[in-house]
Amino acid sequence: MARGATRIEVCGRLHVEWEGEPVEPRGRQARILLAYLVLHRHRPVRRDELVAAVWPGDARAGVEAHLAPLLSRLRKTLGADRLAGRDELTLILPEGAEVDWDILQRDVERARREAAGGDAAAGWDAASAAVTVADRGFLAGLEAPWIEELRTDLADLRVEALVLQARLGVALGGAQLAPAERAARAAVEGAPFRESARAALIEVLRAQGNIAEAVRAYEELRVLLREELGTPPGPELVALYETLLATEGVRPLPSANEARGQTPPAGRAPGLPDLVERERELHELGVLLAEAQSGQGRVALVEGPAGVGKTRLMAEGRRRAANAGVLALAARAGELERDFPFGVVRQLFEGELTEPDRRAALLAGAAAPAAPVFGAADPEGAGADSSFAVLHGLFWLVLNLANERPLLLAVDDLQWCDRPSLRFLAYLL
């Protein structure tokens, strides 16, 4: 008579179906022993290692003697030929056996491949399957140090699968955007500091046309990283944020040519709105930029009512400056961060100070008093000092940067700027 399939689940509660028959090891220790042997079946496992896995931290004399009856019952249940060895034991699964832990990892790997440029629909299915398994947890009801370690690994795999699901949902579009957003938010909840999760959420929100909400998601991460870790977002997230600012919350309707599938006019980026009736402002910014490139420092104040397009104009100014070879550094003040000393200053310059050698060069000499500003994010520490020495050090940091190439500093929402940063900007002007 043909034997049934063997399926073992370690995600969730331990469940074993051995050659078509359910197997329920009696007792917590027996379940831990079987789970450990299943997960380490690709190598021989020493008896003392099994003792440590089943009775962690138990230093009682003779504890190893308790292992023998467990192994004996396991051989009787599974078959003597399925547990090979005496001092070193290897569990031999029937041919074609499936373990959900292995399937989970294969699904995540497949989703990675498809997200890198393969079949988005197939990748979506793989990522969704991985999330379904990972959501069950790991060996529910059992406790041991090695179980906790694998629970951490499972949590990481789950977040990665959720991020992949979100990214693939963006690639598929349409009806998959709503579940992609749920996946991205679940990833952020599971790993609040993981930038890939935040980037996935921003990408989904942007694909849905929710640009303002996408900007808010970026701002939430920026504040979290600064307050908890004292670091800025990475380059990829900053670039994504710049893209959001360029669209300024507007999803433009296609032109007549674009609606017919024709190429957009030269000089206009596809999908970005044109600046309407801003020729004079752009010309003035261009004149100031040219004067700055010639060595004459200049200042521009962009003001107007909410929603008039200030952020979009500034983003276009930065884009043109960058295209002209200018180092364009940007910051955005926030009402909730006004009590964070030098918050705007850190936004402006931290990205240029991440590499140790460059940091040392830029903060050398007269710029050295500015170094505490970019140290620990403790508002009561040295970074809160807005003395003349610190302001002058920051001034020399600007000079050191400008000595390399022309420099543009752009601060959006200046009305919410923290006071020490505002004092520095006034000092610099």
Side-chain angles (χ1 to χ4, degrees):
M1 185 173 64
R3 296 180 181 273
T6 296
R7 299 184 180 88
I8 302 175
E9 296 178 359
V10 293
C11 295
R13 299 189 67 84
L14 179 64
H15 176 78
V16 180
E17 191 173 314
W18 192 273
E19 295 184 331
E21 296 294 330
V23 173
E24 296 186 8
R26 291 179 2 189
R28 182 187 65 84
Q29 295 166 348
R31 295 197 298 275
I32 292 177
L33 173 64
L34 178 56
Y36 193 87
L37 287 168
V38 167
L39 292 168
H40 297 82
R41 66 189 183 279
H42 301 297
R43 64 174 178 85
V45 181
R46 300 189 316 274
R47 296 175 75 94
D48 60 339
E49 181 181 344
L50 287 175
V51 170
V54 178
W55 296 277
D58 192 337
R60 292 177 300 167
V63 68
E64 186 174 347
H66 297 299
L67 181 63
L70 290 181
L71 292 174
S72 177
R73 289 200 298 269
L74 190 58
R75 283 192 171 97
K76 183 177 180 180
T77 300
L78 306 181
D81 59 333
R82 294 300 181 184
L83 193 56
R86 295 186 60 83
D87 294 330
E88 293 186 337
L89 298 109
T90 303
L91 181 66
I92 303 172
L93 298 185
E95 185 176 356
E98 296 181 347
V99 180
D100 61 351
W101 179 255
D102 299 333
I103 296 172
L104 165 64
Q105 296 183 78
R106 287 199 300 268
D107 283 339
V108 172
E109 178 57 36
R110 184 184 180 191
R112 288 189 195 120
R113 291 196 307 269
E114 305 299 358
D119 184 341
W124 170 271
D125 291 341
S128 301
V131 170
T132 299
V133 174
D135 279 344
R136 299 201 299 255
F138 186 78
L139 290 177
L142 301 179
E143 300 296 333
W146 67 270
I147 293 176
E148 287 302 319
E149 291 176 7
L150 289 179
R151 282 176 181 154
T152 300
D153 293 344
L154 178 64
D156 288 340
L157 280 172
R158 176 180 177 272
V159 170
E160 182 179 0
L162 287 165
V163 169
L164 289 166
Q165 189 179 22
R167 289 177 53 200
L168 290 158
V170 171
L172 292 171
Q176 302 296 5
L177 288 178
E181 180 184 350
R182 290 194 293 271
R185 292 191 183 279
V188 169
E189 183 180 358
F193 292 94
R194 189 167 304 185
E195 294 195 12
S196 61
R198 301 279 182 163
L201 176 59
I202 292 170
E203 289 283 9
V204 173
L205 293 172
R206 183 174 68 167
Q208 293 173 323
N210 298 326
I211 305 301
E213 195 170 350
V215 170
R216 179 183 177 186
Y218 173 85
E219 290 293 332
E220 287 177 352
L221 174 64
R222 184 172 64 79
V223 173
L224 179 67
L225 290 177
R226 173 179 298 173
E227 292 184 348
E228 298 295 332
L229 303 179
T231 61
E236 292 184 8
L237 262 177
V238 172
L240 184 56
Y241 175 62
E242 290 291 330
T243 303
L244 295 174
L245 293 184
T247 58
E248 202 193 21
V250 178
R251 177 174 288 274
L253 294 173
S255 66
N257 286 339
E258 291 171 319
R260 291 193 293 268
Q262 299 180 13
T263 304
R268 177 187 172 200
L272 293 182
D274 287 323
L275 279 174
V276 180
E277 298 182 355
R278 290 290 181 264
E279 292 79 6
R280 180 179 62 84
E281 289 85 353
L282 287 173
H283 173 73
E284 291 182 1
L285 289 177
V287 171
L288 295 176
L289 176 62
E291 292 174 347
Q293 288 178 295
S294 70
Q296 302 297 318
R298 292 292 182 262
V299 179
L301 175 63
V302 180
E303 59 181 347
V308 76
K310 302 183 296 296
T311 297
R312 176 69 178 92
L313 177 63
M314 291 178 64
E316 178 63 18
R318 295 199 306 275
R319 186 189 70 79
R320 295 188 179 194
N323 288 343
V326 173
L327 175 60
L329 305 181
R332 187 168 192 165
E335 183 178 7
L336 298 180
E337 301 175 66
R338 299 185 75 177
D339 294 331
F340 188 87
F342 287 115
V344 165
V345 166
R346 289 170 69 112
Q347 280 189 65
L348 285 171
F349 301 116
E350 276 182 328
E352 297 299 311
L353 301 174
T354 55
E355 200 276 320
D357 291 341
R358 178 166 170 75
R359 179 189 181 97
L362 290 174
L363 292 175
V373 172
F374 306 99
D378 179 7
E380 301 301 327
D385 181 13
S386 56
S387 66
F388 173 80
V390 171
L391 297 179
H392 197 63
L394 290 169
F395 169 76
W396 273 96
L397 170 61
V398 172
L399 293 186
N400 290 339
L401 286 166
N403 190 50
E404 298 177 346
R405 56 173 166 150
L407 174 66
L408 168 67
L409 303 180
V411 180
D412 201 359
D413 288 337
L414 185 65
Q415 71 274 17
W416 302 123
C417 186
D418 62 277
R419 185 170 295 276
S421 292
L422 199 59
R423 289 191 63 190
F424 159 69
L425 292 173
Y427 183 84
L428 179 63
L429 299 185

